[in-house]
Each structure stands twice: as C-alpha cells, then as structure tokens.
Amino acid sequence: MLTYLTRRLIQGVIVLLAVSFVCFIIFRYMGDPVISMAGQYATAAERDEIRKIFGLDQPPYVQYWRFLTNALRGNFGISYETRLPALGLIVERIPASAELAASAMVFAFTVGVGLGVLVSANPRAWLSRAVMAGSLGGISIPTFLIGIVLIMVFAVQLGILPPFGRGETVKLGNWWSTNFLSLDGLEHLILPAFTLGMYQLAVLLRLTRSGMREVLTTEYIKTAWAKGLSPARVVFKHALRNVLIPVVTVAGLQFGDLIAFSLVTETIFQWPGLGNLLLTSLYESDQPVIVTYISLVAVFILTINIIVDLLYALLNPKIRYG
C-alpha cells in the first residue's frame, strides 16, 4: 500500500507540473492584462511601468519559475484586477462551492443508486419504466434550462424557495462559512444543488441499473437465492457491493467536476463560488487567479482519484495494492 501511494504521489507531482506549465503558457498569450489594468487611455510609459511592477516584462520561463518557487511557499501571486492575493480569493470561495457540490453529490448518489437498484429489481414495472424515461431527460436536458425552470416554478410561481444567492451563513473558524446551520441557507441551497446534481443522478442511476442487471444473472447470486437468503441481503450485500466499484469511480470523478466546474449553475443562481470567480477571471484575463485556480483543482482531483482507488479495497477485499 505504501509503495502504491508513493508511486501515485510521484505521478501526481508530474501531472501538476504539466498542468501548471500548460495553463501558464496558454493564458500568457490569451491577452495582455496590462491593457485592462492600465485602462484604455493609458500611455505607453504607464503600461511599461505596470509590466515592471508585476514582472510581465520578463521572459515567460522566468515568470513561470518565479510562479513555481512562490507557489511552494503558498504565494500564488497577486490578482491583476483586485490587487489581492490570488490564493486568498480562491480560498474565500471554496466553502460555497464545496457545500454546493457535496449537497449535489449526496443527492445524486443516494437517489441515483437507490433508484438504480429499484429499477433493476423490478425491470418490467410501470414505475421502473417511468424512472428510466425520466433519467433520459436528466441526461439530455441542459443544466441551464433545468435551473431556469426550477426558478420559474418554485421561486416565481410558488414562491416557496429563493431564486438566487447563498442566503444566511454561519461562520465556522476563521474562513469557513456554512449553509448547513441556517434555515435560510438551506433554503437557498436546495435549487442549485438539485440543478447541479440532476445530470449526475441520471448517470449513476443508469450505471447502477446496468451493473445490477448483469450481476443479478450471475451464478453466485443464483446460489444466494437458492440458499433462501432474504431479497434485501441478496441485493444489497452480494449484488450491490460488486456493482459499486464502477459507480464509486464515476461518482468520485463527478464530485471533482462539481466543485471545479459548476460554472453554469453558479452563474444562474448567482452562487458566490469558484465557478463565478473563474468566469470573472477569464473575462478580465486575470492570469494569476486562473493559473492558481486550475492548479488547485488539479490537486483536488488527483486527491479524489487516490481516495477512490483506496476505496476499491474496502468494496472488494480481493483488490490489493503492492
């Protein structure tokens, strides 16, 4: 296990270096941030002065090396627009995106896997057919359309849920603010979490159903039925446990995507998370924030992948890492 973790960490460092380098080069040539910082009517001398202040007059490899050495000390540079530390801007938005993604993932995983098991156990029932038809809608309908419809129905027509914003939050520690300890915060969380989790729910539902349909026809399941075991024991202990390996893999990858790239949902509901920050930074060519954001997202996704690999051993004792 230790050898496996060491190998994965080395691979992760290489991936992070590659990601940071590619992002740095791409956004280095996306546009000149000096124009937006100095203003349209700035003189050439004023623009040159700004380039010197931010080190943009130096060769790209010097800028990238300075970025790496500073990043190792926790300094990811200063935002070109806000003049604040780029890492601080991202850390400030993490609680909003993390809680939204966690809520959406819990909703998608529990409902998706539960419905997948139900549909596979009674494939010919009218309810199963209705659920499968609904899952096609969850996959094919765009996220922005789901969000707009939910706002129109529950916020505008019925008036029972707020249409946008994060609502009231409770401060935990120095920097974490949570929606979970406030009724108003929970109400603001429902619509965006439901919108964000609909596609993932449909995918997990169909994946669980497919796996369960295959596993339920195997010989060891037939043996379990022949022994007279209860349906719940056969389905949940013997069948579902084997199906969960690919489901957990997909759920882990989805969770990383939910935190990192929930841009559409956060924009629709004006959720103050990482997606809104990324959109604003791309619009303003704020290179330090963009590179820092993608580098930290890469760290998070690599961490999730390692955790998912370790969960395999819990779901299937036959899996061992050497």
Side-chain angles (χ1 to χ4, degrees):
M1 180 68 73
L2 183 60
T3 303
Y4 169 78
L5 288 176
T6 303
R7 185 167 64 248
R8 288 300 302 270
L9 288 175
I10 294 174
Q11 294 172 353
V13 171
I14 296 174
V15 170
L16 290 177
L17 288 174
V19 168
S20 64
F21 178 76
V22 170
C23 292
F24 187 88
I25 295 300
I26 290 176
F27 294 113
R28 176 68 173 79
Y29 298 101
M30 276 187 60
D32 190 358
V34 174
I35 296 178
S36 60
M37 286 189 292
Q40 183 178 359
Y41 302 103
T43 63
E46 291 173 338
R47 293 179 179 177
D48 290 339
E49 182 65 23
I50 291 178
R51 284 192 175 90
K52 291 180 181 179
I53 292 175
F54 287 93
L56 299 175
D57 59 328
Q58 299 177 352
Y61 67 89
V62 175
Q63 297 182 41
Y64 179 67
W65 177 251
R66 185 176 66 246
F67 168 77
L68 283 182
T69 54
N70 289 335
L72 293 176
R73 296 193 294 267
N75 178 14
F76 286 85
I78 302 297
S79 168
Y80 293 156
E81 293 298 321
T82 64
R83 307 298 195 272
L84 296 173
L87 181 61
L89 292 174
I90 293 175
V91 169
E92 185 181 19
R93 302 291 188 101
I94 287 178
S97 289
E99 292 191 354
L100 175 60
S103 302
M105 196 69 249
V106 170
F107 162 69
F109 189 85
T110 54
V111 177
V113 173
L115 289 178
V117 172
L118 176 65
V119 169
S120 64
N122 303 280
R124 299 186 182 279
W126 68 268
L127 181 59
S128 299
R129 296 179 186 273
V131 169
M132 293 307 299
S135 69
L136 289 176
I139 292 177
S140 58
I141 298 176
T143 300
F144 73 88
L145 182 57
I146 295 176
I148 292 174
V149 170
L150 290 178
I151 291 175
M152 290 180 59
V153 173
F154 292 97
V156 178
Q157 299 295 332
L158 300 179
I160 58 177
L161 290 174
F164 59 85
R166 197 180 177 197
E168 182 183 353
T169 59
V170 177
K171 199 79 171 179
L172 297 178
N174 295 326
W175 63 280
W176 192 278
S177 57
T178 179
N179 283 73
F180 296 148
L181 299 179
S182 164
L183 179 60
D184 183 65
L186 288 173
E187 290 178 347
H188 280 79
L189 186 62
I190 292 175
L191 289 184
F194 187 83
T195 302
L196 190 61
M198 276 301 296
Y199 176 81
Q200 282 70 26
L201 186 155
V203 171
L204 294 176
L205 189 159
R206 300 183 72 86
L207 182 61
T208 304
R209 171 189 175 272
S210 176
M212 288 292 293
R213 291 289 299 274
E214 181 179 353
V215 169
L216 288 175
T217 60
T218 57
E219 294 299 325
Y220 77 92
I221 294 297
K222 293 179 181 178
T223 302
W225 286 117
K227 290 181 178 179
L229 299 180
S230 65
R233 187 176 181 85
V234 173
V235 171
F236 290 101
K237 182 176 181 180
H238 295 281
L240 183 59
R241 187 169 183 177
N242 289 282
V243 173
L244 280 181
I245 291 180
V247 173
V248 167
T249 302
V250 173
L253 296 176
Q254 286 180 337
F255 184 55
D257 290 340
L258 290 181
I259 291 184
F261 305 113
S262 56
L263 190 150
V264 174
T265 302
E266 291 189 5
T267 301
I268 293 173
F269 292 95
Q270 291 300 297
W271 193 262
L274 295 173
N276 261 329
L277 177 64
L278 177 63
L279 183 64
T280 303
S281 301
L282 288 171
Y283 178 76
E284 297 172 344
S285 296
D286 199 343
Q287 180 185 331
V289 176
I290 296 171
V291 176
T292 305
Y293 174 90
I294 296 181
S295 298
L296 293 181
V297 165
V299 172
F300 180 74
I301 292 178
L302 285 171
T303 302
I304 288 180
N305 287 338
I306 293 176
I307 294 174
V308 168
D309 288 346
L310 296 179
L311 286 176
Y312 290 167
L314 296 178
L315 295 173
N316 189 348
K318 294 181 180 179
I319 297 178
R320 290 292 182 266
Y321 297 108

